[in-house]
Amino acid sequence: MIKMIMHGCNGKMGQVITDICKEDSEIEIVAGVDPYSGVKNDYPVFANIGECNVDADVVVDFAAAAAVDGLLDYCMKHKMPVVLCTTGLSQEQLARVEEASRQTAVLKSANMSLGINMLMDLLQKAARILAPAGFDMEIVEKHHNQKVDAPSGTALALADSINEALDNAYAYKYDRTPERKKREKYEIGIQAVRGGSIVGEHEVIFAGTDEVIELKHTAYSKAVFAKGAVEAAKFLAGRSAGRYEMSDVIDAR
């Protein structure tokens, strides 16, 4: 049984992960960390990670960016593997993530969904075949009306995956309205839609002559990210120091 600390246990994602782990015989949450104490849990909850004195195998983090510095200090001190799911980290914090990975196992990914990460793998295979054959590439991403960044980090990660497969350094095209010219070879267009309560939808279009191929992922709830985080925790527990991605979790399955 893998013993896990849930960092940010009383937030929405923390509670989704708590419910998932209750039904999973391979992993158990033995402690939580959250400054908010208004939620009743079956495990002890500490106001900050520095107060946690419970033995564990791995930490899963779905907290606020401001709490990541203390979390990294704790994980480096205790050589504790950590699955970092918090977004919006500063460049200084990202540098500290790399520093921490030299002392313990750190998994950080642009998207924790197993489906999205499998899609990235499929895109690389498709791009190597279709792009040289003249297919144009477009990404359309849709999210709820409260999302402030555009394009999404996942859309950029999908584009990065395609570029990596093609050894391509072409800049992404977010908006074509200022220009009146034909698209360039290997250009990757990214369009962002914001509306309603859409959890997350990413569609990659390969448009060729007389045929179109579409690869699409739709998230109907945030549970897909929570399930991915739990699988990442199972993968990371017991790993040696290093920087890991969700692609490593996919490859190990």
Side-chain angles (χ1 to χ4, degrees), residues 15-251:
Q15 285 298 292
V16 173
I17 290 175
T18 295
D19 290 339
I20 289 173
C21 289
K22 286 179 181 178
E23 305 299 323
D24 194 320
S25 61
E26 298 178 4
I27 195 165
E28 174 189 12
I29 299 179
V30 293
V33 178
D34 205 298
Y36 177 66
S37 58
V39 177
K40 182 177 177 59
N41 295 291
D42 296 332
Y43 47 79
V45 177
F46 302 87
N48 66 74
I49 190 69
E51 297 176 2
C52 183
N53 57 3
V54 178
D55 290 334
D57 303 306
V58 64
V59 178
V60 170
D61 163 65
F62 259 113
V68 168
D69 292 322
L71 172 63
L72 292 176
D73 287 340
Y74 176 90
C75 291
M76 285 189 283
K77 178 181 177 181
H78 296 277
K79 300 295 186 289
M80 179 76 69
V82 56
V83 178
L84 270 176
C85 304
T86 294
T87 58
L89 302 187
S90 67
Q91 290 301 314
E92 291 79 9
Q93 287 177 312
L94 292 173
R96 293 217 60 213
V97 169
E98 297 305 320
E99 177 187 350
S101 71
R102 292 191 285 271
Q103 301 185 43
T104 189
V106 179
L107 189 150
K108 187 179 186 306
S109 185
N111 189 300
M112 298 306 298
S113 160
L114 290 172
I116 281 289
N117 284 275
M118 185 182 72
L119 176 59
M120 290 182 187
D121 184 53
L122 294 174
L123 286 178
Q124 291 202 333
K125 295 176 181 177
R128 291 189 189 103
I129 297 171
L130 299 177
F135 281 68
D136 298 318
M137 299 168 288
E138 292 284 317
I139 298 172
V140 180
E141 57 98 341
K142 303 176 184 178
H143 285 86
H144 52 83
N145 58 20
Q146 301 301 304
K147 187 172 180 61
V148 296
D149 58 317
S152 68
T154 298
L156 293 175
L158 293 173
D160 285 340
S161 183
I162 293 172
N163 271 339
E164 180 183 343
L166 300 174
D167 293 325
N168 186 24
Y170 189 85
Y172 314 135
K173 185 71 68 175
Y174 304 134
D175 183 7
R176 293 192 175 90
T177 55
E179 302 177 352
R180 292 291 185 272
K181 66 177 185 179
K182 181 181 176 181
R183 65 179 296 142
E184 298 185 29
K185 183 180 180 180
Y186 291 175
E187 177 178 306
I188 302 174
I190 304 179
Q191 311 301 323
V193 177
R194 296 289 174 267
S197 58
I198 302 171
V199 175
E201 183 178 302
H202 294 83
E203 182 178 19
V204 184
I205 302 166
F206 291 90
T209 303
D210 298 328
E211 60 180 332
V212 175
I213 297 171
E214 299 175 350
L215 298 174
K216 180 179 178 181
H217 177 274
T218 302
Y220 292 102
S221 78
K222 292 184 177 181
V224 298
F225 311 118
K227 291 175 183 176
V230 172
E231 292 304 313
K234 294 178 187 178
F235 165 84
L236 204 64
R239 298 275 173 178
S240 57
R243 181 75 160 78
Y244 299 88
E245 303 278 349
M246 281 300 290
S247 57
D248 298 309
V249 181
I250 298 289
D251 292 341

